[in-house]
Amino acid sequence: MTTNRTQASAVQADADVGTGRTVGKPGRRPSKLRPFSGVWYVMPSLVVIAVVIVTPILLSAYYSLTDYSLLRSPSWVGPDNYRTLLSDGAFRQAMWQTLVYTFISVPLQTVLALVIAAMVARRTRHRFGAFVRSALFIPVIASMVIVGSVWRYLLATDHGLVNTVLGVAGIDNVNWLGQPVTALVVVSLVTVWKNIGYFLVIYYAGMLAIPNEIYEASSIDGAGGIRQFWSITIPSLRPVTLLVVILGTIWSFQVFDLVYTMTAGGPGGGTVTLVMAIYGAAFQNMQMGYASAMAMVLFVIVFLVSFAQRVLLNRK
Amino acid sequence: MLKRIADLGVNGVLLLLVVVALLPFAFMVVTGIQRADTVSLSFDPDRLQLDNFVRLFTDYGFGRALVTSALVVTLACVVNFVVSSLAAFAFAKKPFPGSETLFWIYIATMMVPVQVTMIPLFVIVRDLGLLNTHIALILPIINAFGVFLIRQFMSNVPDELLEAARIDGASDRRVFVAIVVPLIRPVLVALTVFTFLTTWNDFLWPLVVISDESMQTVTLAAARLQGRFVTEYGLVMAGATVSFLVPFLIYLVLQRQFVQGVASVGLKG
């Protein structure tokens, strides 16, 4: 699981904001007398969120308009950093690679999680299904750091397990992480391997919510398993699919640990992602201002994706 | 007959998937407990040894890192729950003028990725002299998400229950501690599991605020091993095994809660 506070799904639940009773309703005497007494309960979290999230996001926007370098105090440069971003080849490469990574991993993990969930939910006996779910969940609880380290060795050119297995089939050793294109594809596939268990559980929960009568009725009409999957399961799970796609996309744009431990951005910058570029600019080159401009780009992307989910869900 | 063959086929595919999911972990453990010059899955009892693990604790400070991680995770879970449930109580059961607007702002802050606030937060932490401290490690764990999750759950607690207690003379504080908190136990478990996993596995933020090796977390220690040794497969895999062991053992015990927690966080949250 990626460390993130961005729960895209969180956005969907604003539907019931405001269901809390309003002040002054009969039987709410304490509130009526002291309408602000609830404020004290909010205070601790309000302070933390103001210090840890709200102030930093405002500061980040400010830094992005300065040449802040940690060593000197920030001086105003206006939109210069953003202008530089547009023509910065390394940034464009990082952006492009993040997009490729997203376009490989998100569709694949969504489709696979859906299909596996359907196999677990409908076709097998309960105990076996539960075992499969538990086992596929284990990569989810492992950190990206572990996943990156282990897969790096599994993919080693000379004695790596992957090449050994392929060798049996007569395929020559491939230098998976030594070439930019295969490295990016492999990192995306490892992400799929890691995330499937998570989305499988979400899909599985969604499938349990579909009434069994629909399946029974369609069975009487003569529909087979595959037909039911297309005509009942997939349409009923549309909101879940939206959630899985959005969450996967947001995680993709935030990828760091996995790439850092698997390829360190190499070879030749071929797997540098957006967050790696931000980290490098800020903490290796001390360009806090420039890095903040990249961070604001990330912020806008993630915000728009979350926002899109809300609009799409509300329209339904 | 055809259906039985199909069922068998599906079971076979699922078993294969289980193998693919677990094999890397088997490789990790097997490499960690062997004297390994090469990377392979072969297991030779003669080369079995726990040297790698001993070295982790004697030479690379894994004991201390385990203590730091345990402390940080415990603190993060407790603080996150206390702070979030208090706020959720106000939002769900004690609204005040402007509380709806405030809740909207809370939801908006959930759309801010940690990687965006990381740079200014680093500057703030540095200016406060908190680099290389436990407090720095815990800071970004507390966010609006816990408030949101618990609030959803608290809204289902019937108001009548709280009214009855109030009529009996209970103060808000007492209503909260004696009635609301016991009722939200399931969401407490979900939030704790979620906080535990993200804190234990966190990497980027510790990498940024911890430079002193005596303050590193287990995940950070495991990653640093890999950066240092390109070819000491056994040692690096032993480090990964130690870092994985705690979440894995807790997962074995609390499987249901883990899966339900993550699912509910994903679905409702």
Side-chain angles (χ1 to χ4, degrees):
Chain A
M1 182 179 328
T2 342
T3 317
N4 72 26
R5 74 165 71 104
T6 309
Q7 291 290 333
S9 45
V11 206
Q12 76 192 63
D14 49 87
D16 63 350
V17 173
T19 46
R21 302 282 172 80
T22 33
V23 185
K25 248 192 147 155
R28 304 275 302 175
R29 263 192 317 129
S31 300
K32 199 175 178 183
L33 291 174
R34 296 177 295 132
F36 282 101
S37 62
V39 171
W40 296 108
Y41 289 85
V42 179
M43 211 46 93
S45 82
L46 195 60
V47 171
V48 175
I49 285 171
V51 172
V52 177
I53 304 172
V54 178
T55 310
I57 190 73
L58 297 175
L59 274 175
S60 200
Y62 165 66
Y63 287 162
S64 77
L65 300 167
T66 70
D67 66 354
Y68 191 31
S69 71
L70 263 196
L71 309 168
R72 284 173 290 114
S73 50
S75 73
W76 187 264
V77 297
D80 275 9
N81 288 326
Y82 293 96
R83 228 172 275 149
T84 314
L85 276 184
L86 288 178
S87 56
D88 180 351
F91 172 74
R92 263 196 280 185
Q93 191 190 354
M95 200 68 193
W96 169 247
Q97 279 157 193
T98 309
L99 279 172
V100 172
Y101 169 84
T102 306
F103 279 121
I104 298 176
S105 58
V106 172
L108 211 53
Q109 73 197 11
T110 305
V111 171
L112 285 175
L114 172 66
V115 172
I116 299 171
M119 295 200 290
V120 171
R122 298 260 159 222
R123 293 290 211 82
T124 49
R125 268 171 282 126
H126 279 301
R127 208 176 273 262
F128 183 63
F131 166 71
V132 172
R133 266 186 301 139
S134 302
L136 295 192
F137 200 74
I138 287 175
V140 176
I141 61 170
S143 70
M144 280 292 191
V145 167
I146 299 175
V147 171
S149 309
V150 174
W151 276 100
R152 181 187 164 129
Y153 288 154
L154 288 173
L155 291 160
T157 314
D158 285 335
H159 304 285
L161 194 64
V162 173
N163 275 342
T164 309
V165 171
L166 291 178
V168 175
I171 299 169
D172 275 347
N173 281 358
V174 180
N175 188 3
W176 297 106
L177 298 175
Q179 319 166 62
V181 174
T182 51
L184 191 57
V185 172
V186 162
V187 169
S188 313
L189 294 180
V190 170
T191 306
V192 174
W193 173 84
K194 153 102 174 143
N195 285 348
I196 277 196
Y198 189 94
F199 294 128
L200 166 68
V201 165
I202 294 184
Y203 264 127
Y204 182 78
M207 282 174 190
L208 293 187
I210 304 174
N212 223 359
E213 290 79 44
I214 305 183
Y215 287 101
E216 280 161 13
S218 75
S219 285
I220 294 167
D221 293 342
I226 291 173
R227 181 70 210 266
Q228 288 180 335
F229 179 69
W230 279 110
S231 313
I232 301 172
T233 311
I234 292 182
S236 313
L237 291 174
R238 198 167 294 153
V240 181
T241 300
L242 185 65
L243 172 75
V244 169
V245 169
I246 300 276
L247 213 52
T249 306
I250 290 176
W251 287 358
S252 286
F253 273 93
Q254 295 175 309
V255 65
F256 176 81
D257 313 6
L258 183 71
V259 189
Y260 186 91
T261 45
M262 243 177 112
T263 65
T271 52
V272 170
T273 59
L274 190 50
V275 175
M276 282 206 87
I278 296 173
Y279 174 80
F283 298 101
Q284 285 163 352
N285 301 340
M286 296 293 169
Q287 299 172 306
M288 295 293 184
Y290 191 55
S292 296
M294 289 191 226
M296 291 312 286
V297 172
L298 172 66
F299 172 60
V300 169
I301 293 171
V302 169
F303 200 90
L304 286 180
V305 174
S306 313
F307 195 75
Q309 182 205 18
R310 214 178 74 192
V311 172
L312 288 171
L313 272 178
N314 283 356
R315 205 175 54 189
K316 247 205 105 206
Chain B
M1 185 61 191
L2 206 67
K3 193 168 159 18
R4 283 207 45 185
I5 292 172
D7 265 352
L8 276 176
V10 168
N11 286 354
V13 170
L14 289 176
L15 260 182
L16 192 71
L17 288 169
V18 169
V19 171
V20 172
L22 298 186
L23 204 61
F25 295 103
F27 163 82
M28 171 181 82
V29 175
V30 166
T31 310
I33 57 175
Q34 286 191 88
R35 192 165 293 122
D37 327 301
T38 56
V39 205
S40 75
L41 243 189
S42 66
F43 182 72
D44 180 356
D46 293 340
R47 297 199 307 175
L48 174 73
Q49 45 107 30
L50 294 174
D51 251 25
N52 292 326
F53 289 91
V54 174
R55 281 171 67 201
L56 287 180
F57 286 89
T58 54
D59 299 350
Y60 300 104
F62 264 65
R64 195 147 178 195
L66 276 171
V67 173
T68 302
S69 277
L71 196 66
V72 167
V73 163
T74 311
L75 268 174
C77 288
V78 171
V79 172
N80 201 11
F81 176 67
V82 171
V83 168
S84 302
S85 63
L86 280 172
F89 180 56
F91 284 128
K93 298 297 177 194
K94 287 180 64 61
F96 48 87
S99 65
E100 258 179 57
T101 316
L102 189 62
F103 191 67
W104 270 94
I105 296 172
Y106 269 58
I107 287 180
T109 66
M110 285 195 286
M111 291 191 254
V112 183
V114 273
Q115 295 86 348
V116 174
T117 49
M118 161 181 86
I119 295 169
L121 200 54
F122 168 80
V123 175
I124 293 173
V125 165
R126 186 195 62 159
D127 291 349
L128 292 175
L130 293 174
L131 290 180
N132 291 306
T133 62
H134 292 101
I135 298 174
L137 284 170
I138 294 161
L139 269 186
I141 302 299
I142 299 148
N143 55 54
F145 176 68
V147 178
F148 174 79
L149 189 69
I150 300 175
R151 191 201 119 128
Q152 296 302 97
F153 205 85
M154 268 187 196
S155 303
N156 296 333
V157 174
D159 281 339
E160 289 72 23
L161 205 62
L162 309 190
E163 281 318 315
R166 287 203 178 103
I167 288 165
D168 288 346
S171 63
D172 280 336
R173 212 165 306 151
R174 208 176 139 71
V175 167
F176 176 71
V177 173
I179 299 175
V180 176
V181 170
L183 283 173
I184 58 166
R185 275 241 306 264
V187 79
L188 162 69
V189 175
L191 183 65
T192 304
V193 162
F194 196 74
T195 312
F196 162 74
L197 271 186
T198 47
T199 313
W200 186 273
N201 289 339
D202 197 7
F203 175 63
L204 179 55
W205 180 246
L207 181 70
V208 167
V209 293
I210 303 297
S211 51
D212 185 348
E213 241 171 64
S214 65
M215 269 303 298
Q216 64 190 353
T217 61
V218 184
T219 308
L220 195 55
R224 286 206 170 135
L225 275 185
Q226 202 214 10
R228 206 176 304 171
F229 305 108
V230 185
T231 49
E232 283 236 39
Y233 308 117
L235 192 65
V236 177
M237 288 300 98
T241 307
V242 170
S243 154
F244 177 63
L245 211 56
V246 173
F248 179 67
L249 289 179
I250 298 181
Y251 175 64
L252 283 189
V253 179
L254 295 175
Q255 254 182 61
R256 266 173 63 108
Q257 285 84 344
F258 257 67
V259 173
Q260 277 171 0
V262 170
S264 70
V265 164
L267 277 178
K268 290 186 214 98

